[in-house]
Every structure is written in structure tokens, then in C-alpha cells.
Amino acid sequence: MRTMQFAIRPMIHDYDTFAAFEDAHVVGPRDLIFTQRILYKTFFSHTQAQTLFYDDFCDGEPTDIAVDAMLIDVRSRDFDRLIAIGGGSILDCAKVLALNSNESVDSLFAQGVQPRRKVELILSPTTCGTGSEVTCVSVFDFPETGSKMGKGFDAGFADHAVLIDEFLSKIPYQVFATSSADALVHALEIYLAPKANAYTDVFCLAAVQTILRGYKRMTELGPSVIREDAKAYLAASNMAGIALANILAGGVHAIAMHFGSEHHVPHGEVTRLFLPPVFKIYYEKAPNGKIADIANLIEEILGPCDPGCTPFDVLDELLAKVVPTRRLSEYGMDAGDANRYADKVIETQQRLLVNNYTPLSKTDIVQVYSQLM
């Protein structure tokens, strides 16, 4: 018997500026802001809150080793509220930093380990992609095992998710492009997930429509319209995140997790990279299911596809203008790696593979790699 449940955990707020947020939430010396130095200098260097800088520990996506060092620092401090301001990596780290535990990341990621939270948690995204501010999942790279893994913590949901338009005013284009592409992939994958429901469908379709229309507008008018559309992109990312908090992503993310870890490719870039070939396999295997809704929506917004092509070729053409990618060989993958990579995906990413629209065999995964070589 199929059951359904749906929840929106954090209270969601929207402010034009950091100053408005700071006033509304009375930010002060008993708060610890976890962020990057450039964000601190640009938007809130005047704050009276304590600060902890991600860049003092990590210069890329977070590893278990870097987060262990953050935990040592945080456990030596006295504060009541953790306010994380940054991209998905920072927000993912904050969920673990707020836990009431003396364990290492490796121990925290062990099955069945679910500590409580020790401080109030506020998450504020400065990108428009991961939706991490409304999920309980933390994703870290584990170099020793050669894989990227995620875990949901029951206490990982923030008390407040805060969307601040001002943070997108100075976002570098590449960060905008890769993060918003990840939001698009979240929405598309979760809409097709076997456990999707009427509520996640609403959030996913709204996110897909907003992002595709935004991308089309940007390719026609130029990147300057990103600032004008900031509120819409933040909302779309947040909606995709709400869906993600209820249902995990699927095969695109499963394949991307391993490849991104192996070749140090930004997460949004690598999910965008694998989206078209995976969805083409889905479309070939089950064209009359829910993927037909997505195909129709793509053609409605982007225009009909040419004979011999699919709507996902049209989507790929648009994405190539927004988030250019390279062939897998240019990232450093050898043709002979495909079988080994497919085995690693199947071994380490079952929590995502079970959410596929249609099952992906090892042969399918190898085909995805081969198409992109």
C-alpha cells in the first residue's frame, strides 16, 4: 500500500537586505555567523555577532576532514544561535555544527546515529540552487573512500530559512549558473520520483517553470536580468528544496555525486552535465509516463523540437548557453573508467538510485558516460 506524507519544516522568511533580517531577528553577540570572508566584508562586516569563516578550513566543497576541524572550533565557543550564510556547502556544514555531539563526521554518518541539536539554527542561502536551507541533508566528500555521500539528520532542519534578495546582487555568474541548474535538476528529478505526490508536484513544476523562463529571458536579454529576477530564482530554489526535503533526487545526482568527487567538478555543473543523457534514457524507456508532462512543459516554454530530436535535446541546447560543460575526457576521465565508475555509483548511491523514474542498469549508466566522453 502506498502512503504519502509531506512537510515544510523551517519557518521561511524573505527580506530585501541583510540589515532588515538583522533587525527583525535581533542579531547580536550571542549569535555565531558561519560564512565566507567575502560575504562578511561585502554585506555584514558591521555585525555584532561572533564569526566563523568557512574559508579558514576549506577552499572547495567540504570534506569530512575539514568539517571535523570546524567542529573542534565550534565546540570551544559559547553561543545560542548559529546563523549560516552562504552556498549549499556552508549550509550543509552548519547542520552538523549545530548538533549536540562530540563525534567526528565519520561517526556521525554511521547508520542510526541521530544526535539532537544544541543551538537554534538559521540558514540563509547566497546562491539559488541547493535548497539546503529547507532540507536536513548534509553532503560531504570523503576522500579516503573516494566518494561523496549525504546523510539526513532529523535535527538538521533549521528553525528559520531566510531568503535575502541582496545576496544575489553580487553573485558571480558561474556560481549563479551552476547553483540554479542544480535547483532545476532537483525539481525535474523529484517530479519523476516514484514517491512524488501532488504536493511535491506543485513545488517542482513551479520551480521548473520559473527557472526555464528565467534562463530563456537571460539568454535573450543578457546576464544583467539576473538581479531583476533574483526573488524569483530564490523562490524557485527554495521550492525545489522543499520538494527535496520530502523526496530525494535520483539517478542524475547518483551519477553526478561520484563523478564530481572523482574529478572535483562543481556540483551544479556536474548535475547539469548528466541531466540530458539520463532523461533521454527515461524518455526512451517510458515516454508516456510523467516525463511526458516535463517534455510538454519544455516545448511550451522553449519551443518545439526538430524532427529526430527530443525535448531534452532542446533543454540541453538551452543549458549549454547557461552552464557550458566539457566532454568527460576533458575533465580527466578515461574511456576505460566507465565500468568502474558505474560499479562505484551502484555501490555507494543506492539511497538515490531507488528514486529513479525508471530503473537504471549498469549498462544504462555506462551508456551515460559513453555518450558524454
Side-chain angles (χ1 to χ4, degrees):
M1 181 177 67
R2 182 177 176 179
T3 61
M4 188 279 288
Q5 62 181 28
F6 181 83
I8 301 176
R9 305 298 175 87
M11 179 73 71
I12 300 171
H13 309 260
D14 182 285
Y15 299 99
D16 291 334
T17 64
F18 175 83
F21 155 71
E22 187 176 41
D23 289 345
H25 292 259
V26 196
V27 177
R30 294 294 301 170
D31 294 313
L32 174 61
I33 293 180
F34 176 51
T35 190
Q36 287 177 296
R37 290 185 184 277
I38 185 64
L39 295 172
Y40 171 77
K41 292 176 181 177
T42 304
F43 297 110
F44 43 87
S45 59
H46 64 275
T47 185
Q48 296 181 28
Q50 303 173 51
T51 52
L52 177 69
F53 296 113
Y54 178 86
D55 5 2
D56 287 347
F57 303 89
C58 194
D59 60 1
E61 295 188 350
T63 65
D64 59 328
I65 298 168
V67 180
D68 280 339
M70 297 175 200
L71 283 167
I72 292 172
D73 190 305
V74 165
R75 288 166 181 165
S76 70
R77 295 173 180 252
D78 182 24
F79 60 98
D80 298 325
R81 188 166 57 175
L82 179 62
I83 303 172
I85 300 173
S89 294
I90 287 176
L91 305 191
D92 281 6
C93 292
K95 296 169 192 175
V96 170
L97 299 182
L99 295 176
N100 188 14
S101 172
N102 291 317
E103 300 287 348
S104 67
V105 170
D106 188 57
S107 297
L108 288 170
F109 267 58
Q111 187 173 0
V113 177
Q114 288 288 345
R116 295 184 178 181
R117 188 136 51 73
K118 63 182 177 182
V119 291
E120 187 176 344
L121 181 62
I122 295 176
L123 301 179
S124 181
T126 56
T127 63
C128 46
T130 66
S132 183
E133 71 276 6
V134 289
T135 77
C136 68
V137 175
S138 294
V139 178
F140 302 139
D141 205 353
F142 289 76
E144 189 171 325
T145 61
S147 189
K148 186 178 292 186
M149 292 185 287
K151 178 175 178 177
F153 292 95
D154 297 339
F157 285 107
D159 298 288
H160 302 275
V162 179
L163 310 181
I164 299 177
D165 302 355
E166 180 183 36
F167 288 158
L168 260 62
S169 65
K170 298 183 184 299
I171 188 171
Y173 176 79
Q174 186 65 14
V175 175
F176 158 79
T178 56
S179 64
S180 58
D182 193 37
L184 177 65
V185 177
H186 285 154
L188 289 170
E189 286 211 276
I190 295 165
Y191 183 78
L192 296 183
K195 292 184 179 180
N197 57 62
Y199 298 95
T200 56
D201 283 357
V202 168
F203 283 94
C204 289
L205 287 177
V208 171
Q209 289 173 337
T210 297
I211 294 170
L212 289 185
R213 286 177 176 145
Y215 280 178
K216 185 179 180 184
R217 180 171 134 84
M218 185 185 68
T219 57
E220 292 170 349
L221 301 177
S224 61
V225 300
I226 294 171
R227 292 185 183 183
E228 299 172 22
D229 297 342
K231 191 180 291 292
Y233 280 115
L234 281 171
S237 169
N238 187 256
M239 289 177 185
I242 289 169
L244 183 63
N246 286 274
I247 297 171
L248 291 179
V252 176
H253 272 75
I255 297 171
M257 284 284 194
H258 176 65
F259 188 86
S261 175
E262 187 83 12
H263 297 283
H264 308 290
V265 185
H267 181 66
E269 180 178 340
V270 76
T271 54
R272 170 268 176 272
L273 180 65
F274 289 111
L275 173 66
V278 171
F279 270 55
K280 287 177 188 177
I281 291 175
Y282 288 161
Y283 197 52
E284 180 181 346
K285 287 187 170 186
N288 298 320
K290 286 182 75 177
I291 200 166
D293 301 337
I294 298 299
N296 291 335
L297 182 60
I298 291 170
E299 291 196 292
E300 176 188 323
I301 296 173
L302 303 182
C305 57
D306 295 329
C309 295
T310 74
F312 300 101
D313 292 302
V314 177
L315 176 61
D316 197 13
E317 289 176 10
L318 174 71
L319 291 176
K321 298 175 184 176
V322 179
V323 192
T325 56
R326 294 173 280 164
R327 308 305 297 179
L328 300 189
S329 57
E330 295 177 75
Y331 290 106
M333 180 177 175
D334 294 326
D337 290 335
N339 275 285
R340 178 170 62 86
Y341 281 22
D343 286 336
K344 194 71 174 180
V345 170
I346 292 168
E347 175 192 346
T348 63
Q349 302 300 334
Q350 285 300 317
R351 63 187 280 273
L352 299 176
L353 290 173
V354 296
N355 299 311
N356 292 344
Y357 172 61
T358 61
L360 291 178
S361 66
K362 177 181 175 179
T363 300
D364 292 328
I365 296 172
V366 170
Q367 178 185 329
V368 169
Y369 288 127
S370 299
Q371 287 179 357
L372 296 175
M373 282 299 295

